[in-house]
Amino acid sequence: MDLKSGYPFWAIKNGLMHAFEPLETDTRCDVAIIGGGISGALIADTLSAAGHEVVLVEQRDIGWGSTAASTALLQYEIDTHLTELAGTLGEDNAVLAYRACVDAIGLLEELATGLGDVGFQTRDSLYYASRRRDRSPLREEFELRQKRGFDVSWLDSAEVQERFGISAPAAILNRPAASVDPYRLTYRLLARLQERGVGVHDRTRVASVVTRPRSVDLELENGARLSAGHVIVAAGYEGENFLPRNVATNRSSYAFVTDPISRDELGVLATTMMWETARPYLYLRTTSDNRLLVGGEDDRRDIPKRRDAMVDRKARSLAKKAQKLFPHLNITPTFSWAGTFAETSDGLPYFGPHPATGPRMLFAMAYGGNGITYSMLGAGLLRALVEGRPHRLAPLFTFDRLNV
C-alpha cells in the first residue's frame, strides 16, 4: 500500500537513522513480528523483556510506513466520547478503556525516559467545543469523566479566552497527555533491541504465511524461512490484507509543520495540545524544536493519487483555520504531508487472533487517533495471549467483540 504523501516531517528531520540487515537465512524464534513501525517496536520490546525470543521483519526501511506520517498525539482520550462508549459497552467497560489509556501514557513516558532523545514531552490537552451546540454534550462528557476520577477541569467561554487566547463556547482541560517523535522512538527502540540480540530486519518481505497446530511458517521472498510459535501482524493498515474482510474504514488525514517559533510567541501552545469537537477535527501541538504541528482535514477517500494531489490544498486550509485561532502567529506550512488513517466503528483497536486465521496468528491493529497509546496497551495484551494468560482488556480489544 501507498501509505503517505508529501514530506513527512519526522523522516526528513531524522533521515535513515540506522541500517538493519535483511533476513536471508532460515531462522526459528518464539515470536515473529511482521511490521517495523512503532507498533511492532513496542510489541517486540515488551515480548523480549519478558524473555521471549523475537524476530521482527519489515518490508520497507524501518519506520517508513504509517509511523513516518503519524502526528503522535499521546492522549488517554479516545475518539469516541466516554459517554458514547458507555452507552455501547457499559460505563465500567468504557472507563476501563479510558483508564488503561491513562496508564499507557505513563508507560510510554517511562520507556522514552530510558531511551532518551525521542522528543517526548508531557502536555495538557484542551478539548474545546467547535460550536455552541457542542457545549451541552461536552459538559456531559466532562461530568462523567470527573465522576469517574479523571483529571479534568471545566472552562467556560471566558476562561478559554483568558487562559488560551481562543474563542470557544467551552472546553475540557485534560491531564495527562504527551507528544513524541514516533519515527525516532521506533528507530532508537529497535536499535537497542538489536544490541541486546533481538533479530531486527528491514527490506524483508513476507511472501506467505502457513499456520500449523504448533507453529507458524513464514516464507520470505528471498527464499529464506522464518518459523515461530506465534506470528504477530503489526503491519498497520496493511494488516487487513491477512483478513477475509476489513474491520476498519480507511481514510486520508493531512498535516503540516511550521518553521520553529519562539516559545514566547507560542505561549500556551508550547505546553498544551488542542483539538476540537467537530468531526473531522482540527488539532494542534508543538514539536520538541518548537514548530507548530497542525493536522486534520480528514476525508473519506484513501486513494493515493488523489491524496497526493490534495496535500498542498489541505495544508493551506489547515493553516487558515489555525491562523484564525491564533492570528498573532505566522502559521505557514514548511513541510506538509498526508497518510492513511483508519477508524473502527467503536473507536477501539483490535489485538489478538482472528477466527479466520487461527490462534497462533495474532494481529495488532491500533486504529484511531491515539494509535500509539493503543499499541503500548496492545503489547501487554499480546504478551498475555502468547503466554496463555487472561488480560483485563481482552474483552474490549480483541476480535471477540466483533460479529465475524
Side-chain angles (χ1 to χ4, degrees):
M1 292 175 64
D2 183 351
L3 295 170
K4 56 189 184 301
S5 306
Y7 299 92
F9 173 64
W10 313 117
I12 292 172
K13 177 184 178 184
N14 295 296
L16 296 175
M17 295 174 60
H18 183 80
F20 299 90
E21 294 297 321
L23 179 60
E24 296 178 332
T25 59
D26 291 354
T27 304
R28 293 182 179 274
C29 61
D30 296 333
V31 183
I33 299 174
I34 301 174
I38 185 62
S39 294
L42 291 170
I43 294 163
D45 183 63
T46 297
L47 290 172
S48 176
H52 296 281
E53 186 179 7
V54 176
V55 173
L56 180 148
V57 294
E58 162 59 47
Q59 64 179 342
R60 303 178 179 86
D61 289 291
I62 290 298
W64 201 250
S66 301
T67 296
S70 171
T71 50
L73 279 72
L74 308 180
Q75 303 182 101
Y76 75 79
E77 300 163 272
I78 296 169
D79 283 347
T80 303
H81 280 178
L82 181 61
T83 50
E84 182 180 347
L85 208 57
T88 56
L89 300 178
E91 188 174 308
D92 287 346
N93 281 332
V95 170
L96 173 60
Y98 265 67
R99 182 61 61 186
C101 290
V102 172
D103 297 339
I105 293 173
L107 293 172
L108 286 162
E109 181 174 12
E110 181 180 348
L111 177 65
T113 300
L115 286 170
D117 191 25
V118 293
F120 186 93
Q121 294 180 303
T122 57
R123 294 277 189 261
D124 290 341
S125 174
L126 185 76
Y127 185 39
Y128 66 90
S130 308
R131 299 153 297 199
R132 188 175 299 276
R133 67 175 179 269
D134 295 341
R135 187 183 189 281
S136 179
L138 188 65
R139 180 71 192 188
E140 293 177 8
E141 181 70 11
F142 163 76
E143 290 174 352
L144 181 55
R145 293 187 193 184
Q146 184 183 53
K147 184 185 80 170
R148 297 308 295 254
F150 293 93
D151 187 354
V152 291
S153 302
W154 177 258
L155 305 178
D156 60 23
S157 179
E159 290 173 304
V160 176
Q161 181 69 55
E162 179 183 359
R163 294 181 58 179
F164 296 95
I166 65 173
S167 177
I172 306 175
L173 185 63
N174 300 273
R175 298 184 183 92
S179 59
V180 74
D181 178 335
Y183 184 86
R184 193 169 188 83
L185 174 59
T186 300
Y187 262 94
R188 288 183 62 82
L189 184 55
L190 288 178
R192 186 176 75 176
L193 288 175
Q194 186 183 59
E195 291 174 359
R196 295 176 177 177
V198 175
V200 181
H201 306 277
D202 60 12
R203 291 160 290 141
T204 302
R205 187 182 294 271
V206 175
S208 65
V209 179
V210 178
T211 58
R212 306 185 189 281
R214 296 181 179 274
S215 66
V216 183
D217 292 337
L218 279 63
E219 183 175 347
L220 309 181
E221 281 194 350
N222 60 20
R225 292 181 180 274
L226 175 58
S227 297
H230 290 84
V231 61
I232 296 175
V233 180
Y237 308 118
E238 293 172 302
E240 299 211 36
N241 295 334
F242 293 87
L243 298 179
R245 62 184 177 88
N246 290 348
V247 296
T249 302
N250 283 5
R251 309 185 189 281
S252 293
S253 188
Y254 301 82
F256 72 85
V257 295
T258 66
D259 282 331
I261 302 171
S262 73
R263 290 181 68 87
D264 287 344
E265 286 185 277
L266 286 171
V268 293
L269 280 171
T271 57
T272 308
M273 62 178 64
M274 300 183 183
W275 60 304
E276 64 173 339
T277 55
R279 295 294 186 269
Y281 53 80
L282 174 76
Y283 58 90
L284 306 92
R285 68 111 156 164
T286 51
T287 65
S288 59
D289 57 350
N290 297 324
R291 298 172 186 265
L292 183 62
L293 189 158
V294 182
E297 285 287 310
D298 301 1
D299 58 44
R300 294 179 178 274
R301 295 186 180 179
D302 183 39
I303 303 172
K305 287 186 177 180
R306 181 185 184 277
R307 188 180 63 213
D308 294 349
M310 293 293 291
V311 169
D312 289 343
R313 185 188 306 177
K314 294 280 193 173
R316 289 194 300 270
S317 178
L318 286 169
K320 185 177 180 180
K321 292 178 179 179
Q323 191 73 71
K324 185 177 180 181
L325 283 175
F326 297 98
H328 68 286
L329 295 178
N330 177 19
I331 301 178
T332 303
T334 301
F335 299 106
S336 307
W337 69 94
T340 298
F341 174 79
E343 293 178 316
T344 60
S345 59
D346 56 11
L348 297 180
Y350 289 108
F351 291 96
H354 189 280
T357 58
R360 293 193 174 273
M361 187 171 185
L362 311 179
F363 291 85
M365 295 180 163
Y367 297 154
N370 48 352
I372 297 175
T373 307
Y374 281 155
S375 291
M376 188 74 257
L377 296 173
L381 172 54
L382 290 168
R383 175 192 167 187
L385 291 170
V386 166
E387 295 173 354
R389 296 184 291 103
H391 193 281
R392 62 187 180 128
L393 294 175
L396 300 179
F397 285 7
T398 63
F399 290 97
D400 291 345
R401 75 180 195 278
L402 183 65
N403 183 21
V404 293

